Amino acid sequence: RIAIADGDGTAAVFETMSEDLAGWLGDAAIGKVLHDAKGPLLAARAMGVDIAGLVGDTALEAYLLLPGQRSFPLADLSARFLHRDLVEPSASDQLTMDGLEDTAGQELADSAAAVLALHTELTTQLGPVGRALLDEMELPLEHVLVTMERAGIAVDLQRLHGLQDAFDAQIAEVTAEAHTLAGREFNLGSPKQLQEILFAERGLPKTKRIKTGYTTDAEALSTLYAKTQDPLLECLLIWRDKSKLRQTVAGLIPLADADRRIHTTYSQTIAATGRLSSTDPNIPVRTAEGRQIRAAFVVGEGYESLLTADYSQIEMRLMAHLSQDDGLIEAFRSGEDLHNTVASKVFGVPVDEVDAEQRRRIKAMSYGLAYGLSAYGLSQQLGIGTDEAAGMMEDYFTRFGGIRDYLHEVVERARVDGYTQTLWGRRRYLPDLNSDNRQRREMAERMALNAPVQGSAADLVKVAMLEVNRSLHDAGLRTRMLLQVHDELVLEVGPGEQAEATAVVIEAMTGVKELRVPLEVSVGVGPDWDSAAH
């Protein structure tokens, strides 16, 4: 059912998709406003209809105003911004937008009218910067995501089944070993039984106290294993890792459609920083097993290969741009390995004498700063004392004072303004910066440190997706985007298009924004997602 309302409150409800209605929906000259438009766009596309002329999406508009909120039901927004109670229709796959005549299906018609009124109110509150984000980034991206979700990505089901069997065997093996070490059978997934065996029977040092005793979460067990090297703890950690991987594989298999393609679902309104979030697939990459799962995502029939592309060290490049730190800018422009160059300055050694541990520490430090990392957090990450971590941070800021000054200024400015913003003007509101509660205030301060860099990276990737999509279309290529995961784009390359598609993607992504340091893009090509890694 489709409800349409126009500006004077006249509404109509359509039970079926007629030729006239399809023509109206596809007329780009008629502006249309929807609520949470991706669902209706997908539903219409499934009926062979492309909705054109989209000028507003009240869910996206509310998200830009309230980025910390996790969901945006139409009834809630109507009550909040219009002071109008609304009973949302229960049926799914309904489209609501501005438009026609007569009234039928009162609840659905009321919803359509509310969408139009809400659009007027929300866009007024957004102002010119928020409206530009909506018009130039979020709304166009919605159409790109619909195309990506419909395309999906091909999977090798035989390989996935093989991985599931392999993980089952590994889980059974490590479970038997754990039972032998404990001297009896027990449920490796039961916190209560783990507490009894680890702390009572094996006498291991107690972890953090919780309501039900002592925590047995992954972080606690990893820390405990680092201290004690107890073989049972090693078994438990392996069991958890394998179980998680097995669960991932088992979850992917039923998602494949008749064409053996999996269709990811994207959301633009979940992450406060502006990042896209996705479900199915959610693929681990850090371990060899995680890479095995990626290898099961393959090029589909009628295409030549998969191409992956992402920005090199994007957070640090944005930090260099935002902080205007001469040392960091010089490190990027030198052409040397960034972390080696920064380590040489911090530790006072020649670049070619920086060792692997020094590079590891500086890399953790540099990226940590983009996430509001504290001395304690750095100490945990590197396995060093808090004082040593604090000293390392002090040495870092001595060499890169522009970063220290920028981070301080970001927090203080946000304390006055009440928000941070990205290079594109996306705001993140942080009222707790002035809270009397120390914990809430410090959490807000970490968010203030994090938001401009992370949010700008998110915006950069979104604009890159739009540019890549447009450039591929303008070049007349069949190559298409399939996935966006973190800062990586995964594309399916049309026959004979590899060289041209690679050049088009790199040019589109490097030209998105002019920064004080150059944007660099890494690409890889292969028959599956893992072999296309770079």
Side-chain angles (χ1 to χ4, degrees):
R1 301 178 74 198
I2 302 168
I4 298 172
D6 66 12
D8 66 7
T10 305
V13 176
F14 297 84
E15 298 293 338
T16 58
M17 179 69 72
S18 66
E19 190 175 326
D20 287 344
L21 179 58
W24 186 87
L25 291 170
D27 188 343
I30 302 173
K32 304 171 186 74
V33 180
L34 291 84
H35 178 75
D36 202 5
K38 187 159 65 65
L41 289 171
L42 279 164
R45 189 79 67 87
M47 291 184 276
V49 176
D50 281 316
I51 298 175
L54 184 63
V55 297
D57 179 336
T58 46
L60 285 176
E61 291 157 12
Y63 167 67
L64 289 170
L65 278 174
L66 307 165
Q69 195 166 303
R70 294 300 296 270
S71 63
F72 301 91
L74 180 58
D76 290 356
L77 296 178
S78 178
R80 178 169 184 165
F81 290 98
L82 303 177
H83 310 294
R84 182 189 303 179
D85 288 334
L86 192 66
V87 178
E88 288 194 72
S90 57
S92 60
D93 294 335
Q94 296 150 339
L95 312 183
T96 57
M97 58 200 75
D98 63 300
L100 297 174
E101 53 190 86
D102 292 332
T103 302
Q106 196 59 50
E107 289 179 358
L108 199 55
D110 288 348
S111 292
V115 168
L116 197 56
L118 194 57
H119 168 68
T120 302
E121 177 63 28
L122 292 174
T123 51
T124 300
Q125 292 197 29
L126 275 175
V129 174
R131 183 73 210 207
L133 272 170
L134 180 73
D135 293 342
E136 297 167 22
M137 187 185 299
E138 300 292 359
L139 283 178
L141 187 64
E142 207 154 25
H143 289 284
V144 174
L145 294 176
V146 165
T147 302
M148 289 167 63
E149 287 190 22
R150 280 184 59 82
I153 185 168
V155 289
D156 182 337
L157 285 175
Q158 189 174 346
R159 186 176 292 187
L160 285 176
H161 281 293
L163 281 173
Q164 183 173 345
D165 292 342
F167 290 138
D168 281 337
Q170 291 165 9
I171 289 166
E173 185 181 338
V174 78
T175 299
E177 187 178 347
H179 290 167
T180 300
L181 288 167
R184 63 183 175 92
E185 291 190 2
F186 68 100
N187 179 356
L188 277 67
S190 165
K192 185 178 179 182
Q193 291 182 42
L194 286 182
Q195 288 181 50
E196 186 180 330
I197 289 171
L198 297 178
F199 306 125
E201 296 178 16
R202 296 179 81 81
L204 294 175
K206 302 287 197 304
T207 56
K208 180 182 175 182
R209 190 165 187 85
I210 55 175
K211 284 182 180 178
T212 55
Y214 298 93
T215 182
T216 55
D217 65 21
E219 185 181 349
L221 293 192
S222 295
T223 303
L224 197 56
Y225 177 64
K227 287 179 185 175
T228 64
Q229 298 296 301
D230 187 291
L232 179 56
L233 290 172
E234 184 179 19
C235 281
L236 291 171
L237 291 169
I238 293 171
W239 179 84
R240 287 185 177 182
D241 185 43
K242 302 295 184 188
S243 297
K244 201 173 292 183
L245 290 164
R246 194 263 181 208
Q247 187 177 9
T248 297
V249 172
L252 289 171
I253 292 170
L255 295 176
D257 64 12
D259 295 323
R260 298 192 171 191
R261 297 185 76 93
I262 287 177
H263 301 268
T264 306
T265 300
Y266 287 98
S267 175
Q268 291 168 264
T269 60
I270 297 292
T273 56
R275 281 193 182 277
L276 286 174
S277 64
S278 63
T279 54
D280 310 322
N282 182 13
I283 309 303
V285 295
R286 293 183 182 177
T287 63
E289 289 92 343
R291 291 186 58 190
Q292 285 180 48
I293 298 174
R294 280 197 163 205
F297 289 81
V298 296
V299 62
E301 189 177 341
Y303 288 82
E304 178 179 289
S305 57
L306 294 184
L307 184 152
T308 65
D310 66 7
Y311 287 108
S312 173
Q313 299 165 326
I314 189 59
E315 290 94 346
M316 292 310 299
R317 290 176 194 272
L318 287 166
M319 180 66 82
H321 177 81
L322 292 165
S323 69
Q324 303 182 46
D325 182 272
D326 291 334
L328 191 55
I329 291 171
E330 179 196 339
F332 271 116
R333 290 179 175 169
S334 70
E336 302 266 1
D337 176 273
L338 172 70
H339 303 304
N340 279 1
T341 304
V342 172
S344 75
K345 293 177 182 289
V346 173
F347 295 115
V349 298
V351 172
D352 57 4
E353 291 182 20
V354 171
D355 62 31
E357 179 60 20
Q358 288 173 325
R359 186 183 189 281
R360 183 179 80 90
R361 289 188 171 201
I362 287 300
K363 185 176 180 180
M365 160 72 86
S366 295
Y367 282 108
L369 293 175
Y371 290 86
L373 190 69
S374 64
Y376 173 75
L378 182 64
S379 72
Q380 293 295 106
Q381 199 166 320
L382 294 176
I384 60 178
T386 306
D387 290 344
E388 186 180 353
M392 183 178 151
M393 291 181 80
E394 187 57 40
D395 291 342
Y396 189 102
F397 286 137
T398 299
R399 291 286 183 175
F400 299 95
I403 297 176
R404 177 198 57 220
D405 296 343
Y406 162 73
L407 292 171
H408 176 74
E409 182 187 330
V410 161
V411 176
E412 290 311 306
R413 182 167 181 176
R415 217 184 294 281
V416 174
D417 295 343
Y419 60 84
T420 62
Q421 60 182 10
T422 69
L423 290 173
W424 279 265
R426 182 186 304 274
R427 292 183 179 182
R428 183 170 186 185
Y429 296 93
L430 299 166
D432 283 343
L433 281 169
N434 294 307
S435 172
D436 293 333
N437 182 303
R438 183 174 63 86
Q439 282 186 321
R440 294 179 67 173
R441 186 174 65 252
E442 288 178 353
M443 181 178 290
E445 288 170 355
R446 286 193 294 276
M447 290 178 183
L449 292 172
N450 160 310
V453 171
Q454 293 301 302
S456 293
D459 286 347
L460 188 78
V461 171
K462 285 181 173 180
V463 179
M465 293 172 72
L466 294 172
E467 286 300 309
V468 166
N469 189 67
R470 182 188 59 76
S471 299
L472 290 171
H473 179 269
D474 290 351
L477 299 178
R478 279 189 63 201
T479 299
R480 57 184 181 173
M481 265 190 302
L482 303 183
L483 296 176
Q484 187 270 321
V485 183
H486 304 300
D487 296 329
E488 179 181 31
L489 303 183
V490 181
L491 299 94
E492 203 164 34
V493 179
E497 294 180 356
Q498 180 177 316
E500 188 178 359
T502 300
V504 166
V505 168
I506 291 173
E507 184 179 359
M509 291 178 71
T510 53
V512 164
K513 186 83 171 174
E514 189 173 339
L515 303 180
R516 293 181 176 88
V517 295
L519 285 172
E520 287 189 10
V521 174
S522 301
V523 297
V525 178
D528 61 68
W529 191 0
D530 182 50
S531 62
H534 44 269

